[in-house]
Every structure is written in structure tokens, then in C-alpha cells.
Amino acid sequence: MKILILGAGQVGASVAATLAREDDDVTLVDTDSTNLLKLQDHYDIRTIQGQASHPDVLARAGAEDADLILAVTNSDETNMVACQICHTLYNTPTKIARIRSTGYLSTPQLFDKENPQAIAIDMLISPEQIVTEYIQRLISHPNALQVLDFAEGKVQLVAVKAFHGGLLVGHPLRDLRKHIPKTETRVAAIFRDGHPITPTGDTTIQADDEVFFIAATKDIRAVMGELRRLEKPYKRIMLAGGGNIGARLAKALENDYQIKLIEANPDRAEFLSEELSNSIVLLGDVANEELLLEEEIDKVDLFCALTNDDEANILSAMLAKRLGASKVLSLINRAAYVDLVESGSIDIALSPQQATIGSLLAHIRRGDIVAVHSLRRGAAEALEAIAHGDSSSSVVVGRRIDEIDLPPGTTIGAIVRGEEVIIAKDETIIESEDHVILFLVNKRYIKEVERLFQVGFTFF
């Protein structure tokens, strides 16, 4: 696939890195020649310096025969104009644009595909909105490290850390059915000391294992209780940073939780105090010990560090934890920092790029892939694929799961058939139009998984 990425910021660079590792033909466009040179040397990709919305720059970048344009510069206007130019001049098949302004996002008729005068964008992504929704799901499940939706929310894949005292800790996985006989679930993967273990009935869960399990959304809490002591729902939440994500999150949560938001910029703090109706907005430094103590940080259930500065987020989250916050979450952009802090006092380190990249990968994957979630800093992946065809044109339709030649470290966790959620067993037979949820502990096998869900020519 020939992919043109416009903008070499955090999202653009991380998508380019992911796709370059998968042997896609990637060209990256940006105005910053120093950054481009670094990325070109590191990932062996083609780079073009110039304004992403200029027709001559797009021509030099090879827009004429690009399969997909991904416009993720820091300017909404540049992204929209670039997509429109690629549509008008080259009729590019797929155009994805990053749009941050709620002014544009709240005017859907601008991007309505039925309207010939609309801006030619096939998919809008708002990283801030994706991260906000991701954190909201974590807040709904206080015990989880990750909560990922599939099949329009019918199924969830959840990562939890197994704790001493969890009913299943120290027991083989086959005992799970004895503990919760009426609940169907499947453990998709276990990571122990950072290394993946492919689970079988004999696998014993140990304390501190990171366990990924899949279940119908309504059953998630019951399964979690087997792996660790269930925590009470959050009540008091403190948000450090009133930028796009902090403001969106406060607005989404303020009617159900007690929200305090800390913002260092006086003008922004004043704006937020007028914009938010049930949140307390505090003017101050997110890492000010005196302020945190004054605001009773020791009674806070969850502290979220959401500024644009990794160092400020890490320091404020560590300080909040030391001063008594029950749980702390930190946004961290640099991958090296994520690995560094997750083993320490920060409970959840969240990479905005990894949260965002999944919605992009669903458009890039071959076969009918409708959802992709990047896991463990991009090393693993969970995806939802639709099975098409019949037993003569498809290698999965009409076959039992134990008859399908899955790549190493790949498991099928669940199947959604219409409204029915089927937790996968060896004897489960895949039917045409089933939504199949797979987990890959090693992403280098992604091409093989894609091939499984591509239909032979006889189907057409």
C-alpha cells in the first residue's frame, strides 16, 4: 500500500514508524527538515520537506498514485485543504484527516459524503477525543489497565494486573469456569515480566501477571473479581492540566464525579471556570506540593496528569501518589518514558499515539478489518475482522477454530454473530459475516492474519 503521511509530529511519526515496520511504502511530508532527516535515517522511509497543503509538494511526495492520505499536521485547515486537493487532482481512494477544533467537529455537514460540496474527507480523527473516551472507559472500570471496545461495545478486551488475594491467582485457568460457571470468558494472553505467555487450561496465573481477557461487556466486572480484589468506583477525581484533553474529560465527567481541575495559565483557568458547570477549577502548578495538600490529595481516588509536558505529567503523578492519591494516571508521549514509569509508582501510563493509532490502522489493514487496538506500546495488537465467503473461498468460514492455521501467538477470543456474543472454543465454527476478535502477541504476524480474512476470487 502506498501511504502519504502529512505532518511528522507525534501522531504522524508514530504511524510512519508502525507502517514502515510492516513494509508499506510510506512517504512523510513536513516543514521541519531536521526532524525529517532523523526519521528518514531511523525508519528508512522517504521524506519530503514542504507545506503539506501545497499542490507542488503533494506532487513531489507522490500523491498521484497514493492509496491513502493521512493528514495529521497541527493545523486543521492544512489537513482539510490537503485532503481536498488530493481528491480534486488525483481522486485519492482514502483520505483521513486529524481535526481538533470542536467548531469543525460539531458541524458534520461539512464532511457529509452525500453532499457534493462537502470537504472530501473519508474519516475524521480527533486524538484528543479518542484519548478522552479511552480514559472514560478506564474510569468506568477502576481495576483495569486497559479497556478496549469491539463490535460496537458488545464485547470488551480488558487488561488487569493479577493481585495477591485474587481468587484465581495461583490456580490453573481451567478453574475459572468453576468459579464463575454462568459467565463465558477467555484469557487471550498473559504477560509475565514483560514476556508473553500463550494461555492454556494448565497455565497458572501468578501475582503481578498482566492478564488480557475477553468477555461480553456485561460480564467484565464478574471476571475482574476473579483476578483481583474489586475496587470501589471512583468518586473524587483530580485532573492536572486544562488543555484539550483535560477540558473534554472534565466536561464528560463532572455530572457523575467530584472533579477538581488544576490549570497554570490564568486566562485558560478563567475560561474553564466559565465553561464547566460542576467542576472546581484551581489556578496553579500541577506539581505544587502545597496546592495538592491543600486540596486534600490524600482523599482523591484518581489523579490524572494530562498536560502536554511528559516530565510535568510524570513528576506530578509521582508526587500525587506519594502524597496519598489512591491511583494515578499519566499521559506520556515518549515511548521510552512509558516503559520507565509503568514499573514504578505510576499506575497507568497512557500513550496518546498508541490510543490513536488503532483507529487509523483499521483503514490500512487488508481484509475486512473494522477495528484495531495497539497494545503494549505497539508490540501486540487486538483486532476485529469480518469473515466473508464460504468454505470454498475463505480459509476461516465453515471451519472449527482448532482447524484454522493461526500464526504463532495468535488467539481468537470471541465471535459476534448479529447480537449474540460467542466466547471462542476449539469446536466453535466460524460463519460468514461473523465478527471475529483476535489477539496477536507479536505484530510481525499481522500480514498472515490479514490473509486469513481475504476472500478468494471465487467469492466475486
Side-chain angles (χ1 to χ4, degrees):
M1 200 180 233
K2 188 166 182 185
I3 299 165
L4 186 52
I5 300 174
L6 311 178
Q10 287 160 348
V11 173
S14 61
V15 173
T18 299
L19 298 179
R21 286 194 291 267
E22 296 178 14
D23 299 328
D24 285 297
D25 181 356
V26 177
T27 302
L28 190 57
V29 177
D30 199 87
T31 52
D32 184 342
S33 57
T34 313
N35 191 27
L36 286 178
L37 199 59
K38 240 191 306 185
L39 292 165
Q40 184 178 319
D41 291 345
H42 202 258
Y43 298 116
D44 193 25
I45 53 176
R46 184 168 171 255
T47 61
I48 298 288
Q49 188 197 0
Q51 269 292 344
S53 58
H54 287 187
D56 59 319
V57 174
L58 290 167
R60 276 194 292 130
E64 187 179 358
D65 54 353
D67 299 301
L68 182 145
I69 301 288
L70 175 59
V72 286
T73 74
N74 285 328
S75 162
D76 288 354
E77 291 72 22
T78 299
N79 296 339
M80 290 190 283
V81 169
C83 286
Q84 186 62 56
I85 288 171
C86 288
H87 174 73
T88 304
L89 296 183
Y90 309 118
N91 203 21
T92 306
T94 307
K95 300 161 292 297
I96 302 174
R98 171 191 189 162
I99 304 293
R100 302 170 87 171
S101 165
T102 48
Y104 291 128
L105 293 170
S106 59
T107 316
Q109 57 267 39
L110 283 173
F111 313 101
D112 183 2
K113 289 177 192 167
E114 305 300 312
N115 177 3
Q117 267 118 29
I119 300 164
I121 296 174
D122 300 298
M123 178 191 175
L124 300 174
I125 61 157
S126 167
E128 291 83 3
Q129 188 57 33
I130 291 167
V131 171
T132 302
E133 289 169 2
Y134 189 104
I135 296 172
Q136 279 181 265
R137 286 198 299 273
L138 286 173
I139 288 170
S140 302
H141 296 88
N143 301 78
L145 297 170
Q146 262 185 314
V147 182
L148 307 170
D149 277 346
F150 290 98
E152 298 173 331
K154 295 185 189 78
V155 173
Q156 287 183 326
L157 177 73
V158 177
V160 294
K161 187 170 263 195
F163 266 45
H164 288 287
L167 294 174
L168 200 63
V169 174
H171 295 274
L173 281 177
R174 68 162 59 86
D175 288 358
L176 189 57
R177 181 161 283 272
K178 294 179 197 165
H179 287 268
I180 38 173
K182 292 180 181 169
T183 303
E184 290 280 336
T185 186
R186 180 164 179 143
V187 173
I190 297 169
F191 286 84
R192 184 171 296 159
D193 301 323
H195 301 292
I197 295 168
T198 302
T200 67
D202 297 323
T203 305
T204 299
I205 292 178
Q206 296 179 10
D208 293 331
D209 281 356
E210 197 174 323
V211 182
F212 285 84
F213 69 87
I214 196 160
T217 301
K218 64 182 173 58
D219 296 329
I220 292 294
R221 196 168 162 78
V223 182
M224 257 192 220
E226 294 297 307
L227 297 165
R228 52 176 297 148
R229 203 170 50 252
L230 282 176
E231 294 170 21
K232 291 177 188 165
Y234 299 129
K235 282 184 188 170
R236 299 178 191 85
I237 299 173
M238 188 176 281
L239 308 178
N244 277 330
I245 293 172
R248 283 171 190 257
L249 196 57
K251 208 168 184 61
L253 300 175
E254 64 178 358
N255 293 325
D256 300 310
Y257 302 90
Q258 296 170 29
I259 303 294
K260 287 182 179 178
L261 185 150
I262 303 172
E263 171 55 45
N265 181 301
D267 294 337
R268 180 70 178 170
E270 190 177 343
F271 167 77
L272 290 169
S273 66
E274 292 166 6
E275 192 74 10
L276 300 168
S277 49
N278 287 328
S279 302
I280 295 170
V281 178
L282 307 162
L283 176 63
D285 177 3
V286 297
N288 183 326
E289 185 169 347
E290 219 173 282
L291 175 63
L292 293 178
L293 288 169
E294 205 174 288
E295 296 303 326
E296 299 181 305
I297 188 69
D298 57 323
K299 292 180 182 167
V300 166
D301 298 315
L302 177 67
F303 178 92
C304 300
L306 308 171
T307 76
N308 290 325
D309 183 325
D310 282 357
E311 287 81 359
N313 287 344
I314 292 167
L315 287 171
S316 62
M318 289 172 78
L319 179 62
K321 188 75 172 177
R322 185 171 66 77
L323 296 176
S326 296
K327 190 172 275 190
V328 297
L329 173 150
S330 177
L331 279 193
I332 301 177
N333 288 294
R334 289 197 205 174
Y337 284 3
V338 175
D339 292 327
L340 198 65
V341 302
E342 266 202 333
S343 54
S345 56
I346 293 176
D347 299 294
I348 300 171
L350 174 55
S351 161
Q353 299 98 296
Q354 291 304 327
T356 304
I357 207 168
S359 55
L360 302 174
L361 291 176
H363 281 260
I364 294 160
R365 296 274 175 257
R366 292 161 187 82
D368 195 351
I369 308 290
V370 290
V372 178
H373 292 290
S374 192
L375 308 163
R376 296 197 60 83
R377 270 73 75 208
E381 202 164 279
L383 51 89
E384 176 184 344
I386 302 177
H388 293 295
D390 54 31
S391 54
S392 61
S393 61
S394 163
V395 294
V396 294
V397 173
R399 288 171 175 77
R400 288 166 48 116
I401 284 174
D402 58 3
E403 294 171 345
I404 299 168
D405 188 15
L406 292 169
T410 303
T411 52
I412 292 175
I415 292 163
V416 179
R417 188 172 293 156
E419 293 300 308
E420 185 188 4
V421 175
I422 302 162
I423 299 302
K425 299 183 181 72
D426 285 351
E427 64 273 16
T428 305
I429 294 171
I430 294 176
E431 295 181 6
S432 185
E433 304 309 310
D434 279 353
H435 286 240
V436 182
I437 291 129
L438 301 102
F439 190 101
L440 289 80
V441 296
N442 190 332
K443 224 174 70 172
R444 76 165 184 258
Y445 294 110
I446 189 70
K447 298 289 180 207
E448 292 176 40
V449 172
E450 287 173 356
R451 277 196 289 274
L452 289 174
F453 288 88
Q454 287 174 327
V455 188
F457 289 112
T458 51
F459 180 57
F460 300 102

